[in-house]
Amino acid sequence: MLARSLRTALDTWRAASRRSLTTSAKTYPYSRAAIIPPAPAGSPPAALRQGKGLMAYLQQTLPSTEKQKIVGTLFSRTHPDRVRPGSVLTVNLTHAPTSFSGVLISIRRRGPDTSFVLRNVVQRTGVEMQFFVNSPHVKEIVVVSRAGGRDGKKRKGLKKAKLFYLRDSPERMTAMSAGVR
């Protein structure tokens, strides 16, 4: 008798829970504030449904096309127009400071999360700023001069990928960024 009443109560509970899960517009049963969102309208590509190529899909869809172009040319490892550490760049921003110029100290290549660090000496104080290429605050990146002499001048190329030693030698820093403000 007790087992039969428990079984019927369990069956009615299962039916009620199935009914509440089938409609996505209903509120969450344990809170009136939480709303279960409906399923997305479009279906993902077949490769994504199998769980393959998620990062490639995100790298193609998340950044805008102009930012993809910047990452693919200026910050690529193999592109002939890439910038190398020691180059002088100017970054125009949407907020203050509206522009910042400096020597490219390091590049961190991580696909859509690519970033770089510029260093300049402002009023005898060393200032470094890190910029993310895909940030909405970055409007444009202008190459003032390239390391290694690609802009017509013969300059000696730098041998290191990270130029953190420029923090300790202000003479080299001012020689590299001569005339940059």
Side-chain angles (χ1 to χ4, degrees):
M1 178 89 174
L2 182 62
R4 179 183 275 170
S5 64
L6 282 176
R7 194 173 298 144
T8 57
L10 184 61
D11 290 339
T12 57
W13 179 79
R14 283 183 187 157
S17 65
R18 254 188 255 123
R19 254 185 276 124
S20 67
L21 291 177
T22 56
T23 58
S24 59
K26 283 193 159 191
T27 58
Y28 186 64
Y30 302 107
S31 170
R32 293 181 188 268
I35 298 173
I36 300 172
S43 64
L48 280 182
R49 282 182 286 198
Q50 295 174 357
K52 297 176 184 170
L54 177 64
M55 288 310 295
Y57 176 76
L58 290 176
Q59 287 177 2
Q60 294 295 322
T61 57
L62 286 181
S64 64
T65 55
E66 58 196 32
K67 299 287 176 112
Q68 285 180 9
K69 191 180 203 181
I70 290 172
V71 170
T73 57
L74 289 181
F75 297 103
S76 170
R77 287 187 188 275
T78 57
H79 199 276
D81 292 334
R82 70 184 181 272
V83 291
R84 293 184 171 101
S87 301
V88 179
L89 303 178
T90 299
V91 178
N92 294 327
L93 302 167
T94 59
H95 59 79
T98 56
S99 68
F100 185 82
S101 298
V103 177
L104 182 65
I105 286 186
S106 70
I107 301 172
R108 182 179 167 270
R109 295 179 180 95
R110 297 291 186 275
D113 202 32
T114 298
S115 66
F116 58 97
V117 177
L118 296 182
R119 179 177 175 84
N120 200 352
V121 178
V122 178
Q123 296 177 355
R124 296 175 52 197
T125 304
V127 178
E128 289 185 6
M129 288 188 72
Q130 180 180 15
F131 299 99
F132 287 87
V133 177
N134 286 320
S135 170
H137 301 296
V138 174
K139 281 200 288 191
E140 74 174 323
I141 300 170
V142 179
V143 180
V144 177
S145 68
R146 293 182 183 269
R150 286 232 38 238
D151 54 350
K153 301 174 192 158
K154 291 290 183 187
R155 280 187 9 192
K156 186 178 178 185
L158 298 162
K159 303 218 179 200
K160 296 192 174 207
K162 310 284 187 205
L163 303 181
F164 295 133
Y165 64 87
L166 291 178
R167 295 171 177 165
D168 300 327
S169 59
E171 301 86 25
R172 285 187 184 174
M173 178 70 201
T174 54
M176 291 176 78
S177 65
V180 176
R181 290 284 164 240

